Amino acid sequence: MRLDIHCSHRPPCPGCPRFGQTGIARSAIDALNALASAHGLPAVQVHEGLASGYRHRARLAVRGRARAPKIGIFREGTHEIVDIPNCPIHHPLINDIAREIKAELKDLQAPPYSDSAHAGLVRYLQIVVERSSQQAQLVLVTCADQYEPNAALCHALEKRLGARLQGFAWNGNPDRHNAILGPHWHQVMGKEATVEQIGGAQVFFPPGAFGQSHLGLYDRIVEQIHMWGKGATRVVELYAGTGGLGLGLVQRGAQVTFNELESASLTGLRMGIAVLAPDLQVRTALAPGSAGDVASALCKNDIDLLIADPPRKGLEAGVLAALTTQRPKRFIYLSCGIESFLRDAAALTTDAYALQSLEAYAMFPFTEHVETLALFQSR
């Protein structure tokens, strides 16, 4: 089935290879249905949300020339940029801010970055829309290691964007590589994190922390996790990020230990814990570090529920070892990589766990990406 949606940037924009198509890719649904059938489960339910204007978070490359800057995404396998000022999947505020920044860069003759020459100034934008305020958190990434030479540009952008900004941070990325964010930060103005109400809790997202782009569907994922986790009193969340999955469980009476490695996500997680009532804060604990390194120690206790939301490569060996040897009663797995999920599910269900429920979420409409949510029960 196809949706009635138009994009003026196709071709050549490569961002939506399944543009206009509903659901998830046929290969993904076939693989998930085969797994469900092998475990006696019904066909997988595919959850869909808004397909246009849904994207609350975007990272956009800045390239071109000082007189004609371009803001968009790269053609696949290249550093050739496709300008996308009217992207239909972006929240309208993202498009608005990107257009204003392009105009300001042109007015100031600020040179965009050149990958081949490793020269120029402005490399990337990160724009995150906060739902409650309908304002944006902006990160300007430049090829520099100090803020001061970029201050005039930042203040010009601040003045131009005005009340549309919830917060504005500068990021310095002076090295020749493909990473978007660099190690240098300076808060230009406003708040240091966006705040979202997720699962009944306030969840904070500093500019360097990972966050989901499709918040409407993410709300539904969290709701399902809380339903599957009902009655759990001792919970461990691995790869917790800023706490979007687990902070709401604290509100529901659970004692939750959060594991996270990245410093920006840990900052956001601490902010989310800090705004809890004192009697709820004492139900939380932090276990910083690699999930593979801490999983065994965390699972030695009588755990009712283990939750994991790993990166695309899937569960670390230490996590799989803890799951298969110590067997927490329930395990909820949120996966953003279908190949790694199928591999991990096969390892878990060989002996330790039974697959109880399986769902799919079209978190990135019109792409090959699928988010998989699964509930495993210890045998």
Side-chain angles (χ1 to χ4, degrees):
M1 181 177 176
R2 295 190 64 86
L3 297 174
D4 184 16
I5 184 172
H6 172 71
C7 177
S8 60
H9 306 309
R10 285 179 49 83
C13 179
C16 298
R18 298 177 58 251
F19 188 75
Q21 298 180 43
T22 58
I24 60 176
R26 173 50 54 187
S27 59
I29 194 62
D30 287 347
L32 292 174
N33 279 336
L35 176 64
S37 177
H39 291 273
L41 299 177
V44 171
Q45 181 179 4
V46 177
H47 298 267
E48 298 181 75
L50 291 175
S52 63
Y54 75 86
R55 193 175 182 108
H56 284 74
R57 173 181 293 265
R59 285 178 172 177
L60 301 170
V62 182
R63 298 295 188 272
R65 303 183 306 277
R67 293 184 178 181
K70 297 180 179 181
I71 297 178
I73 63 175
F74 295 125
R75 296 188 191 221
E76 190 171 357
T78 76
H79 284 126
E80 183 181 349
I81 199 168
V82 179
D83 204 10
I84 53 171
N86 301 303
C87 177
I89 68 171
H90 284 167
H91 187 287
L93 184 58
I94 291 177
N95 290 336
D96 177 41
I97 287 178
R99 283 192 294 265
E100 291 282 7
I101 292 176
K102 182 193 294 186
E104 188 67 28
L105 295 179
K106 185 177 179 180
D107 288 348
L108 296 176
Q109 294 288 284
Y113 179 70
S114 167
D115 297 273
S116 58
H118 188 52
L121 182 62
V122 185
R123 296 182 76 152
Y124 296 99
L125 308 175
Q126 178 177 279
I127 307 171
V128 179
V129 178
E130 183 181 69
R131 287 183 291 185
S132 61
S133 66
Q134 287 297 292
Q135 294 176 304
Q137 175 197 78
L138 172 65
V139 178
L140 179 75
V141 184
T142 70
C143 186
D145 58 6
Q146 295 183 28
Y147 167 69
E148 285 70 21
N150 302 269
L153 171 60
C154 289
H155 290 308
L157 291 174
E158 177 189 354
K159 182 178 180 180
R160 185 172 194 125
L161 295 170
R164 285 169 284 194
L165 292 182
Q166 179 260 14
F168 181 9
W170 167 85
N171 177 262
N173 183 359
D175 298 324
R176 185 193 286 270
H177 52 50
N178 290 327
I180 293 176
L181 297 178
H184 309 289
W185 289 94
H186 178 84
Q187 188 70 23
V188 180
M189 57 78 65
K191 298 179 181 179
E192 296 184 354
T194 58
V195 186
E196 295 292 340
Q197 288 287 333
I198 299 174
Q202 293 186 71
V203 183
F204 291 76
F205 295 92
F210 171 79
Q212 292 283 359
S213 298
H214 202 314
L215 292 174
L217 271 183
Y218 188 63
D219 286 335
R220 288 159 64 178
I221 288 174
V222 174
E223 181 180 1
Q224 183 62 70
I225 288 173
H226 290 185
M227 187 178 300
W228 285 348
K230 187 176 181 179
T233 58
R234 296 180 62 83
V235 180
V236 170
E237 184 182 353
L238 302 176
Y239 313 96
T242 61
L245 304 181
L247 282 170
L249 290 173
V250 180
Q251 305 268 18
R252 295 171 180 235
Q255 180 177 334
V256 184
T257 299
F258 298 91
N259 156 253
E260 176 53 42
L261 175 63
E262 298 298 329
S263 60
S265 292
L266 281 168
T267 296
L269 184 52
R270 290 186 175 100
M271 294 170 78
I273 292 172
V275 298
L276 293 173
D279 61 319
L280 298 182
Q281 290 183 29
V282 297
R283 295 182 190 166
T284 69
L286 288 180
S290 163
D293 293 340
V294 304
S296 179
L298 294 179
C299 291
K300 285 182 179 177
N301 297 317
D302 184 19
I303 300 301
D304 295 305
L305 175 63
L306 181 70
I307 304 171
D309 180 11
R312 189 164 297 186
K313 64 183 179 181
L315 301 174
E316 296 169 57
V319 176
L320 278 173
L323 280 164
T324 55
T325 58
Q326 299 176 46
R327 304 191 185 187
K329 296 172 185 177
R330 282 174 283 178
F331 172 48
I332 297 176
Y333 188 170
L334 179 58
S335 168
C336 60
I338 191 166
E339 292 181 359
S340 58
F341 170 75
L342 294 171
R343 179 201 68 214
D344 293 342
L348 290 169
T349 56
T350 298
D351 178 54
Y353 285 88
L355 180 61
Q356 295 288 303
S357 295
L358 183 62
E359 300 183 350
Y361 291 79
M363 295 288 280
F364 291 86
F366 313 141
T367 73
E368 300 294 320
H369 179 89
V370 58
E371 203 91 1
T372 307
L373 184 64
L375 171 65
F376 297 87
Q377 185 78 35
S378 178
R379 294 186 189 276

